[in-house]
Amino acid sequence: MPRGPVKTYRETQKVLLNSLLHQSKTLRTNPASAPEVSTALFGLIPQVEALKAASMSMASSTRYNAYVTSKPYGYFSHEIPALCDSIIACLFHWGDILVYGDGQRTDGIVVIGIEGVAGRLSV
């Protein structure tokens, strides 16, 4: 039973990471795809909410699991939910940049931002 919430969290995290990195790769290889990537970024909001819910569920139901105790106190109950809220704000911001930005320069900023968030989530 204790592995259920941890497995759910890890799978949700993996799906979100893959989705973010896919959008980054798409934008990096084809800057003209900015409108499609913008729409896709807005579509990632339910995945971020699912990760937040999985993290909070795991923190409360499996707090003595080795995966949970290997992180600092409050990591899954406070840090990850706060990070998820920040990611949602970033998704809106990046989407706006891609739609209303000036092209190549702003596309690179969004790619760097997405990869930075992906790196933070994979820790």
Side-chain angles (χ1 to χ4, degrees), residues 73-90:
Y73 179 77
Y75 183 78
F76 294 107
S77 61
H78 299 293
E79 286 187 42
I80 293 296
L83 179 62
C84 289
D85 290 338
S86 297
I87 291 171
I88 290 173
C90 288

Side-chain angles (χ1 to χ4, degrees), residues 8-99:
T8 301
Y9 171 81
R10 300 226 19 200
E11 288 174 353
T12 307
Q13 178 190 32
K14 183 178 178 182
V15 168
L16 179 59
L17 281 171
N18 288 337
S19 298
L20 284 168
L21 292 175
H22 175 71
Q23 297 311 315
S24 171
K25 183 179 178 183
T26 301
L27 194 56
R28 187 181 290 274
T29 58
N30 183 13
S33 67
E36 293 83 16
V37 171
S38 174
T39 303
L41 290 175
F42 291 137
L44 294 180
I45 292 171
Q47 289 182 15
V48 177
E49 290 290 342
L51 181 66
K52 181 179 177 180
S55 175
M56 291 170 49
S57 170
M58 181 179 67
S60 65
S61 63
T62 59
R63 55 186 162 181
Y64 299 113
N65 182 287
Y67 182 74
V68 176
T69 58
S70 68
K71 301 289 184 181
Y73 179 77
Y75 183 78
F76 294 107
S77 61
H78 299 293
E79 286 187 42
I80 293 296
L83 179 62
C84 289
D85 290 338
S86 297
I87 291 171
I88 290 173
C90 288
L91 292 175
F92 281 112
H93 181 67
W94 295 330
D96 286 344
I97 287 174
L98 292 175
V99 171

